[in-house]
Amino acid sequence: MDGRPNVVFDMGNVLMTFDGPYFARCFTDSDDDARLLHAALFGRPEWALLDAGAIGHDTMRRVAEAHLPLRLHAALHACLEHWPERSEPIIPVCDLVARLKRAGAGAYLLSNASTRIDLQLAGCPAYPLMDGRVVSGFERVMKPDPAIYLLLCGRYGLDPDRCLFVDDNADNCRGAEVAGMRAHRFDGDAAALKDAVEAFLGAWGMGLR
């Protein structure tokens, strides 16, 4: 069992931006078309099935095509293929990961994301520092199901009580707490997150470096 304190990070809007309306706008020529594309792709309930590993990207493409005029199909294909390149690192949080590692704490990724997650993580400077990851699209279980948090702990020998989970979604934070972790909901306030992490590490006589 790993005796270190560990911080477990969500990816979307914690380590990396996830902004469906912005991504859609990158591949269309008007606000109206961007709204159509977003609604047909990121706004569909099937997007969660993609993250759950229940459907593949070809199925997601066909679903979205059925909800778009033919003239927007090329934009859809480009968006589906290349939106991860438009995701940007959230630098204060990525910097926090580096400070955690220097302090001797563990850092892990736990994300509801599809099997193409590595395309997005390629732009994340904190990812190479991570000790491990669990991704819903590969495991076919999603946050906030407590099973996915316990899967992470079992795979890497972590004590849930020594884990602080960080996510932008309140339900996902509650799922972590049910699994025995502590949790912090990240709302974009990097200073508040830093304070929460420092308080967490302080319980084990550690501090950020």
Side-chain angles (χ1 to χ4, degrees):
M1 184 73 69
D2 189 338
R4 299 177 298 170
N6 302 284
V7 183
V8 182
F9 294 88
D10 177 36
M11 180 177 65
N13 290 327
V14 174
L15 290 168
M16 300 289 291
T17 59
F18 185 86
D19 186 343
Y22 167 72
F23 298 149
R25 188 67 183 86
C26 290
F27 298 94
T28 51
D29 296 323
S30 73
D31 290 342
D32 286 343
D33 283 351
R35 282 190 287 270
L36 289 173
L37 177 54
H38 173 262
L41 184 58
F42 304 109
R44 293 289 308 169
E46 289 84 0
W47 187 260
L49 297 179
L50 183 66
D51 284 350
I55 64 172
H57 284 81
D58 285 345
T59 298
M60 187 69 244
R61 172 183 53 78
R62 290 194 295 271
V63 168
E65 285 176 346
H67 293 86
L68 283 172
L70 182 61
R71 65 181 178 81
L72 288 179
H73 284 194
L76 164 66
H77 302 161
C79 185
L80 188 57
E81 185 70 22
H82 295 290
W83 72 261
E85 300 163 22
R86 305 300 178 119
S87 177
E88 297 288 339
I90 299 174
I91 296 299
V93 182
C94 291
D95 288 347
L96 184 61
V97 174
R99 295 184 66 185
L100 274 169
K101 296 301 297 177
R102 289 196 296 269
Y108 292 84
L109 177 73
L110 179 57
S111 180
N112 283 351
S114 80
T115 55
R116 290 185 183 174
I117 189 174
D118 289 315
L119 296 175
Q120 191 173 8
L121 287 173
C124 180
Y127 181 60
L129 304 176
M130 296 283 180
D131 295 287
R133 76 178 192 185
V134 164
V135 177
S136 63
F138 293 105
E139 309 298 342
R140 300 196 174 188
V141 59
M142 294 181 72
K143 300 176 292 183
D145 188 333
I148 195 168
Y149 310 89
L150 295 176
L151 189 156
L152 175 80
C153 291
R155 181 166 295 169
Y156 295 104
L158 308 181
D159 180 350
D161 187 54
R162 288 181 174 262
C163 294
L164 173 67
F165 176 68
V166 181
D167 199 292
D168 64 316
N169 182 290
D171 288 339
N172 293 344
C173 289
R174 283 191 286 271
E177 290 169 343
V178 170
M181 295 181 176
R182 306 175 198 190
H184 175 83
R185 181 173 177 265
F186 179 64
D187 60 2
D189 187 340
L193 173 58
K194 174 178 171 290
D195 290 345
V197 169
E198 285 186 319
F200 173 70
L201 293 182
W204 283 274
M206 297 174 63
L208 291 172
R209 295 183 184 174

